[in-house]
Amino acid sequence: MIDLKLPKPTRLEGIIVTIDGPAGSGKTSTAREVAGALDYRHLDSGSLYRAATFSLLRESINVKEWEHLTVSDLDLLNLQILPMDDKIIMSWDQKNISSEIRSAEVTEKVSYVASLPQVRKWLFETQQNLGLNGRLVADGRDMGEVVFPEAEVKIFLTASLEVRARRRLLEYIDPKSHDEMLDDEMKRINKRDLADQNRQHSPLVQAQDAIQVDTTKLTFHQQVKTLLGIIKDLTGIGS
Ligand code: DC
């Protein structure tokens, strides 16, 4: 009998681990640490959407034009995305933009840019290419469901809205001012969650075969340990 089922892709260097979840769930910091522990490359896919947003703003393309841009137009942006050792370096006009892509201006516009189908199409291939040989921990919103549906391990991180807002504030504000800013941050995060969940193309959803990990009560160390434990149990990879 002929088995018509396609074989799973053979990745030369290792497996793919995807970590998806809403804003502030700790995906990116956890993915970076897990990748380091496994000696894998880390792909922070949100930073690609941020870099695209930064380029559109910097190249003074009118916001009203963004939805009409084609993949060929996007190719003309002065943006470079290059894997270098275990990092992915993003530059605009030959300058590293890793801090600029975190600005409030980029953060305000990025959900809109990420909702545009042409932008998603344009970044899809770049992301898949980064995972061709495996040995990748990729975090984002649609890593397990759309970009790497064949990933060996899929995690979906959640945490309460309040905890996610507090974690985001910790990244840039003195903890003493947190209580007065908490409400505004919760509203901002909730608005982005709704935009990411309700958009037409690749909305934030938990892949059916993803394992959900609620990090509300976990420390960062416990979060990383939990994920490494899941990866070890499912694949035998890691120590
Ligand atoms: O994780 P982050 O805040 O850096 O993500 C920035 C934005 O990009 C956020 O609005 C969600 C979007 N995003 C996405 O749509 N798909 C991904 N795979 C990663 C991020």
Side-chain angles (χ1 to χ4, degrees):
M1 194 176 96
I2 302 172
D3 186 359
L4 288 174
K5 268 190 279 161
L6 291 171
K8 277 206 151 196
T10 317
R11 310 189 209 279
L12 293 177
E13 298 177 8
I15 61 163
I16 292 187
V17 177
T18 60
I19 305 179
D20 290 300
S25 57
K27 302 176 301 290
T28 303
S29 48
T30 310
R32 189 181 303 119
E33 198 73 12
V34 167
L38 298 176
D39 196 18
Y40 272 30
R41 176 178 286 156
H42 172 215
L43 166 63
D44 163 10
S45 61
S47 69
L48 303 184
Y49 289 95
R50 287 173 176 274
T53 308
F54 176 87
S55 303
L56 291 167
L57 289 167
R58 194 50 76 88
E59 296 185 31
S60 305
I61 303 174
N62 192 310
V63 178
K64 287 188 191 138
E65 296 298 315
W66 294 1
E67 64 173 315
H68 304 298
L69 294 173
T70 63
V71 168
S72 320
D73 296 330
L74 294 164
D75 274 336
L76 295 176
L77 291 175
N78 208 351
L79 177 68
Q80 297 88 39
I81 300 169
L82 286 179
M84 204 171 279
D85 301 324
D86 281 344
K87 294 207 172 72
I88 290 153
I89 309 291
M90 274 158 291
S91 327
W92 184 81
D93 198 18
Q94 316 297 326
K95 285 184 233 44
N96 188 313
I97 52 169
S98 50
S99 34
E100 284 86 343
I101 62 173
R102 308 271 149 209
S103 72
E105 193 191 10
V106 170
T107 302
E108 202 227 307
K109 291 272 182 297
V110 65
S111 282
Y112 174 60
V113 172
S115 74
L116 300 173
Q118 296 303 324
V119 172
R120 301 204 77 84
K121 193 171 164 195
W122 178 56
L123 289 175
F124 179 77
E125 203 181 329
T126 306
Q127 296 171 86
Q128 281 210 324
N129 284 342
L130 290 166
L132 273 184
N133 290 335
R135 214 181 135 255
L136 186 76
V137 180
D139 79 81
R141 307 294 194 287
D142 61 345
M143 295 295 98
E145 182 76 3
V146 176
V147 181
F148 300 114
E150 297 281 354
E152 286 80 356
V153 181
K154 298 183 187 179
I155 310 280
F156 193 84
L157 284 190
T158 60
S160 72
L161 181 59
E162 181 178 334
V163 163
R164 292 190 287 124
R166 284 192 187 279
R167 285 181 189 156
R168 271 284 144 101
L169 287 173
L170 260 186
E171 289 170 12
Y172 58 97
I173 304 275
D174 179 347
K176 285 191 211 116
S177 343
H178 277 191
D179 285 343
E180 52 211 71
M181 302 189 68
L182 190 63
D183 262 3
D184 280 349
E185 189 62 27
M186 282 169 66
K187 281 188 196 128
R188 254 194 303 271
I189 291 194
N190 198 34
K191 193 171 156 210
R192 279 182 59 202
D193 283 352
L194 289 174
D196 293 339
Q197 283 159 3
N198 295 324
R199 68 178 176 225
Q200 197 184 345
H201 302 277
S202 300
L204 167 69
V205 280
Q206 178 174 342
Q208 267 196 353
D209 48 351
I211 296 174
Q212 190 181 116
V213 177
D214 184 346
T215 68
T216 306
K217 296 199 173 127
L218 300 184
T219 63
F220 180 65
H221 177 72
Q222 289 168 330
Q223 211 163 291
V224 172
K225 215 172 141 195
T226 305
L227 263 59
L228 286 171
I230 293 173
I231 296 166
K232 175 89 179 152
D233 287 349
L234 291 179
T235 66
I237 289 173
S239 50

